Every structure is written in C-alpha cells, then in structure tokens.
Amino acid sequence: MNKESLFAISLFPYLGFLWFMTRSGKTPRLALIGFYVLLIFVIVTIPAGIYAQAHYGKELANVDWLHGSAELFLTLSNILVVLGFRQAIIKLKKTE
C-alpha cells in the first residue's frame, strides 16, 4: 500500500472521530473548530501536492512556499485545539 492510499484511508477514522466529538457535545467549541480546520489542511494539501508535482516535478515537501502555505492550516488547527482546551480548563477551575 502506498502513502497516498494510506492517507485516503486515514480520513475515514478521522471523520468518525469528528462525528463522535461533535455528537458528544462535550468537546470545547474552539477545540472542535480546530479539529475541523484540520480537514481544511487536508483539502489544501492534496491540490498543493498535485500542483507541486505537475509544475515543479517535486514532492510538496520540497516546494517551500507551497508546503509552508499548506502547513499554515495545520498550525492554525493546533492553536485552536490548544486554546479551546485551555479555555475549558480555565472555566472548570473557576467553577471549583
């Protein structure tokens, strides 16, 4: 199995994870938004990788401006998840 197939297959468990996290109603809203932003990262990365290969004949990781632009969404996702759980912890400590 190649990495592209593994990447595509990995989306299904992640979508299941999002479904359960959303349905539970217990995930901090900002963190949940961060988890959904990760899907934007995936959606941006796929065409960026295709463009890097078609235009430059290189993998996405070797075209810095494209790779950095795609990774911006991963960074944003991580920040939102951390801030969302941080807010939830602060709120929980205030109620104790």
Side-chain angles (χ1 to χ4, degrees), residues 3 48-49 52-53 56-68:
K3 66 181 178 181
Q53 189 65 50
Y56 298 103
K58 297 180 179 182
E59 289 189 20
L60 178 60
N62 296 325
V63 182
D64 289 341
W65 75 271
L66 268 176
H67 188 238

Side-chain angles (χ1 to χ4, degrees), residues 20-33 35 85 88:
F20 282 113
M21 294 293 274
T22 303
R23 191 168 160 97
S24 77
K26 295 182 180 182
T27 307
R29 181 165 169 72
L30 191 58
L32 190 59
I33 291 169
F35 287 129
F85 281 112

Side-chain angles (χ1 to χ4, degrees), residues 2 6-8 18 30 33 45 48 53-55 57 85 91 94:
N2 62 19
L6 189 59
F7 182 71
L18 284 178
L30 191 58
I33 291 169
T45 300
Q53 189 65 50
H55 223 75
F85 281 112
K91 184 178 176 182
K94 284 183 181 178

Side-chain angles (χ1 to χ4, degrees), residues 45-93:
T45 300
I46 293 169
I50 293 168
Y51 182 80
Q53 189 65 50
H55 223 75
Y56 298 103
K58 297 180 179 182
E59 289 189 20
L60 178 60
N62 296 325
V63 182
D64 289 341
W65 75 271
L66 268 176
H67 188 238
S69 299
E71 290 288 326
L72 172 71
F73 291 99
L74 180 59
T75 302
L76 178 60
S77 171
N78 290 335
I79 290 169
L80 292 172
V81 169
V82 168
L83 290 177
F85 281 112
R86 180 179 179 270
Q87 284 177 347
I89 290 169
I90 290 170
K91 184 178 176 182
L92 184 64
K93 285 183 178 183

Side-chain angles (χ1 to χ4, degrees), residues 10-48:
S10 71
L11 277 176
F12 293 106
Y14 190 72
L15 291 173
F17 164 77
L18 284 178
W19 184 79
F20 282 113
M21 294 293 274
T22 303
R23 191 168 160 97
S24 77
K26 295 182 180 182
T27 307
R29 181 165 169 72
L30 191 58
L32 190 59
I33 291 169
F35 287 129
Y36 276 95
V37 169
L38 188 59
L39 285 177
I40 297 172
F41 163 71
V42 172
I43 291 167
V44 167
T45 300
I46 293 169

